[in-house]
Amino acid sequence: KVEVKAAIVSASGVLTIDCSAAAYFTTTLFENVTSVVLTNLPLGATGKTIMVKITQDSDTAKTVAFPSSFKWAGASTGVVSTTLSAVDVLAITSFDNGTTWNATLANGFA
C-alpha cells in the first residue's frame, strides 16, 4: 500500500497535523513550535499512527513543545536535535482515537 506524504509548516508557533491528509509528514523548523495540534482524527475507537520527519533550521536551532497527550517511554519527553539542519523522526500512535499518543522521537539522522 502506498501512503500519502504531506508537508506541514508551523504558523504563529502552532504546528497543525491534519490526520485526514496523510500518515507521513515533513516539516522544517523556521520558528519555535509552542504547540502541536492534531486535527481530523478518524471517527470511532480506531487506532492511528503518524510519522513526522522534522528538519532543524539551518541558521538557528528551534524548539518544539509537545502536548501533554503525548506519552513518552520512561516518562522522558523527547527533545528535537539542536544541530543545525539535523533530521529527527517523530512517531506517534494512538489506540484511543487521539486521547493519548505513545510518542517516540529518534534524533540525528544523517
Side-chain angles (χ1 to χ4, degrees), residues 90-103:
L90 172 69
I92 55 174
T93 299
S94 179
F95 295 95
D96 57 11
N97 202 37
T99 300
T100 57
W101 294 88
N102 296 332

Side-chain angles (χ1 to χ4, degrees), residues 54-74:
I54 302 169
T55 303
Q56 183 58 265
D57 187 63
S58 60
D59 293 324
T60 305
K62 307 300 185 210
T63 61
V64 176
F66 296 105
S68 61
S69 62
F70 283 23
K71 305 304 178 192
W72 302 87

Side-chain angles (χ1 to χ4, degrees), residues 15-38:
L15 183 65
T16 301
I17 300 173
D18 180 350
C19 296
S20 68
Y24 296 90
F25 296 87
T26 60
T27 191
T28 299
L29 301 177
F30 294 109
E31 64 179 352
N32 290 325
V33 173
T34 56
S35 180
V36 176
V37 177
L38 292 111

